[in-house]
């Protein structure tokens, strides 16, 4: 996208206001707009020709009701349930959970219809029955609708909103050839670099889940499962944002034990790979207990050193190789021990594309699953010792 298009965001007062609460801002704006123009609901949000006649009914619009972003009560008696995604990509399980909730409340949400409103049409999770509408398409529809308004405050607001979401949608549309990290200073100045990083992490996680399912990897889990909830041989794929950096990874619950000093129960060990910012990490994680005492953390660190130095870990790892870490083990909270390779050491080039990283993550996941028995045996020898 040309730099001049991105600079349009700087000129939009509505875009600046949206930064405080991204998804909620859009829900609030659309709810306010349809309150002003009830006859625009179908024109702006419809996904089929027969939806064009949708009109807002007397019951109006609810926001953030039972975790539903927008509940639009139509004059026809139907209910339009809108899931609004700006910062992240939706999970099929999340949409199914909302459908279950709505079905249980048929008296409150009669004849429900569903809509996934998102930055990119490619965000739709596989197998989802929710129609998808991109903010880019909404921008075009709003621009056309605004042209019919008299020149004045409402028209200027709608045109401003349509202009900035068109640019934001184009920026948020993610594909194979996109770089993992976009270093353009203007993105940070506009405070959207973190949004784009989070969306790219979600894109990679979805790609990873899709490929692993296609390869019939057993025990695959995703959001909202937590690492601490994993059972033996379950593999969790996750994504998020940490310190302004995109975060995506997976962890395999590889073994229970060996017994650690200070731990009251048999610990559960996880092995995985994590991509955070410019670092591609192999790690060992203490899945439980979640809050070990210092004695347990010290014992865990000794086992991790042995695993890194003497047994197979995923993908690029060589026993004894510290990667680019300056110390024997990097750690987070004493229960997450890792070493890493920098993806783009000099940062003189754009760095790896999303497709390259997706392929590398798949390779890492397959290597981890294939080597899990060897890791279990390594842990078992420590247990016997």
């Amino acid at each position: 996208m040309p730099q001049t298009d991105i600079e349009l965001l700087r000129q939009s007062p509505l875009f600046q206001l949206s930064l405080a609460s991204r998804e909620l801002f859009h829900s609030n704006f659309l709810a306010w707009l349809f309150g002003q123009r009830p006859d625009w609901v179908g024109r702006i949000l419809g996904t089929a020709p027969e939806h064009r006649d949708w009109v807002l009914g007397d019951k109006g619009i609810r926001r953030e009701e039972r975790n539903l972003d927008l509940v639009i009560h139509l004059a026809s008696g139907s209910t339009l349930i809108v899931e609004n995604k700006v910062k992240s990509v939706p999970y099929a399980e999340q949409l199914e959970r909302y459908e279950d909730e709505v079905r249980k409340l048929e008296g409150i949400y009669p004849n429900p219809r569903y809509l996934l409103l998102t930055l990119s049409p490619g965000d739709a999770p596989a197998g989802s029955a929710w129609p998808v509408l991109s903010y880019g398409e909404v921008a075009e529809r709003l621009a056309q609708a605004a042209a019919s308004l008299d020149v004045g405050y409402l028209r200027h607001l709608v045109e401003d909103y349509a202009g900035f979401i068109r640019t934001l949608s184009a920026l948020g549309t993610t594909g194979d050839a996109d770089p993992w990290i976009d270093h353009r200073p203007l993105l940070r100045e506009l405070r959207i670099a973190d949004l784009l990083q989070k969306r790219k992490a979600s894109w990679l996680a979805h790609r990873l889940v899709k490929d692993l399912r296609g390869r019939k990897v057993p025990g695959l889990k995703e959001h909202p499962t937590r690492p601490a909830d994993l059972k033996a041989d379950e593999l969790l794929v996750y994504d998020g944002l940490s310190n302004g950096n995109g975060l995506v990874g997976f962890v395999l619950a590889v073994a229970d034990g060996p017994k650690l000093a200070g731990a009251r129960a048999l610990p559960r060990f996880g092995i995985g790979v994590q991509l955070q910012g410019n670092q591609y990490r192999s790690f060992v994680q203490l899945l439980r207990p979640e809050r070990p005492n210092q004695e347990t953390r010290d014992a865990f660190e000794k086992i991790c050193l042995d695993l890194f130095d003497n047994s197979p870990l995923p993908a690029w790892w060589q026993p004894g190789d510290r990667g680019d870490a300056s110390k024997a083990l990097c750690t987070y909270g004493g229960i997450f021990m890792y070493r890493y390779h920098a993806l783009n050491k000099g940062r003189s080039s754009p760095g790896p594309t999303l497709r390259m990283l997706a392929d590398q993550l798949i390779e890492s996941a397959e290597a981890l699953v294939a080597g899990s028995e060897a890791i279990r045996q390594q842990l078992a020898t420590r247990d016997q010792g």
Side-chain angles (χ1 to χ4, degrees):
M1 170 171 282
Q3 196 82 345
T4 52
D5 290 343
I6 303 176
E7 289 174 351
L8 290 176
L9 297 178
R10 182 189 285 127
Q11 301 169 16
S12 167
L14 285 185
F15 168 72
Q16 299 298 329
L17 292 172
S18 75
L19 294 173
S21 54
R22 287 181 173 127
E23 263 118 6
L24 185 57
F25 172 87
H26 295 280
S27 296
N28 286 339
F29 183 84
L30 291 174
W32 172 84
L33 179 62
F34 295 141
Q36 301 297 309
R37 296 305 303 256
D39 58 322
W40 279 17
V41 174
R43 186 175 180 179
I44 304 303
L45 298 183
T47 55
E50 60 269 24
H51 299 166
R52 190 171 178 84
D53 296 330
W54 284 349
V55 176
L56 182 63
D58 293 338
K59 291 184 179 180
I61 299 177
R62 300 287 186 181
R63 285 157 285 174
E64 301 297 316
E65 183 176 75
R66 297 181 176 88
N67 293 319
L68 302 172
D69 290 335
L70 276 175
V71 177
I72 303 176
H73 294 280
L74 302 176
S76 64
S78 297
T79 312
L80 179 61
I81 309 296
V82 181
E83 174 63 12
N84 179 16
K85 287 293 185 186
V86 175
K87 294 188 291 185
S88 59
V89 177
Y91 288 89
E93 290 81 357
Q94 180 186 21
L95 300 181
E96 291 168 3
R97 188 169 68 251
Y98 292 159
E99 288 182 59
D100 290 341
E101 182 73 19
V102 169
R103 274 193 292 267
K104 295 174 185 176
L105 299 167
E106 184 178 356
I108 299 175
Y109 306 127
N111 190 20
R113 302 168 182 268
Y114 300 94
L115 176 67
L116 174 58
L117 181 58
T118 183
L119 282 189
S120 169
D123 291 348
S128 171
W130 288 49
V132 178
L133 185 64
S134 75
Y135 271 101
E137 179 62 25
V138 168
E140 297 304 322
R141 296 179 183 187
L142 284 173
Q144 293 174 13
S148 66
L149 297 173
D150 293 335
V151 175
Y153 183 68
L154 179 58
R155 178 168 175 169
H156 291 319
L157 276 179
V158 175
E159 288 176 339
D160 181 12
Y161 183 73
F164 103 69
I165 64 171
R166 181 187 298 111
T167 300
L168 199 62
S169 181
L171 283 169
T173 299
T174 303
D176 285 355
D178 290 342
W180 165 237
I181 301 177
D182 192 328
H183 293 291
R184 283 178 287 183
L186 187 55
L187 297 180
R188 293 195 177 277
E189 179 186 336
L190 292 171
R191 296 165 57 196
I192 57 174
D194 59 340
L195 179 148
L196 300 180
Q197 270 277 279
K198 190 175 189 303
R199 287 185 55 79
K200 289 177 180 180
S202 293
W203 185 94
L204 280 170
H206 277 250
R207 176 69 175 270
L208 185 57
V209 168
K210 180 181 177 181
D211 285 358
L212 291 175
R213 281 179 175 162
R215 301 179 192 212
K216 301 187 184 304
V217 172
L220 188 61
K221 298 291 181 180
E222 54 184 321
H223 180 82
T225 302
R226 303 181 310 134
D229 297 331
L230 289 176
K231 299 176 183 178
D233 295 321
E234 289 184 337
L235 178 73
L236 171 65
V237 177
Y238 59 87
D239 63 272
L241 189 72
S242 178
N243 297 322
N245 293 311
L247 172 70
V248 59
F250 53 85
V251 58
L252 175 70
V254 69
D256 285 349
K259 183 77 167 61
L260 294 178
R264 295 181 179 180
L266 199 62
R268 178 157 293 166
F269 288 78
I271 308 286
V273 164
Q274 182 186 93
L275 171 61
Q276 181 176 336
N278 199 43
Q279 294 184 359
Y280 196 89
R281 303 168 172 175
S282 282
F283 67 84
V284 184
Q285 185 174 2
L286 191 60
L287 301 177
R288 66 182 194 199
E290 295 183 73
R291 297 181 179 179
N293 59 33
Q294 187 61 52
E295 187 179 11
T296 301
R297 290 199 297 269
D298 291 343
F300 174 63
E301 183 175 4
K302 291 179 181 179
I303 286 182
C304 290
L305 279 169
D306 184 50
L307 284 173
F308 272 100
D309 289 341
N310 299 302
S311 67
L313 284 170
W316 48 266
W317 206 261
Q318 297 295 323
D321 179 12
R322 290 190 182 182
D324 295 310
S326 61
K327 49 189 175 183
L329 282 178
C330 303
T331 183
Y332 178 78
I335 61 172
F336 184 97
M337 302 286 179
Y338 68 96
R339 291 175 178 173
Y340 69 90
H341 281 175
L343 294 172
N344 189 8
K345 295 181 183 180
R347 300 198 179 186
S348 56
S349 65
T353 64
L354 293 181
R355 174 60 184 271
M356 293 167 61
L357 288 174
D359 290 344
Q360 189 169 356
L361 284 166
I362 289 292
E363 179 188 349
S364 294
E366 291 189 317
L368 172 59
V369 172
S372 60
E373 183 56 37
I375 296 172
R376 275 191 287 269
Q377 291 177 5
Q378 181 76 7
L379 287 168
T381 61
R382 290 295 301 253
D383 203 12
Q384 294 168 4

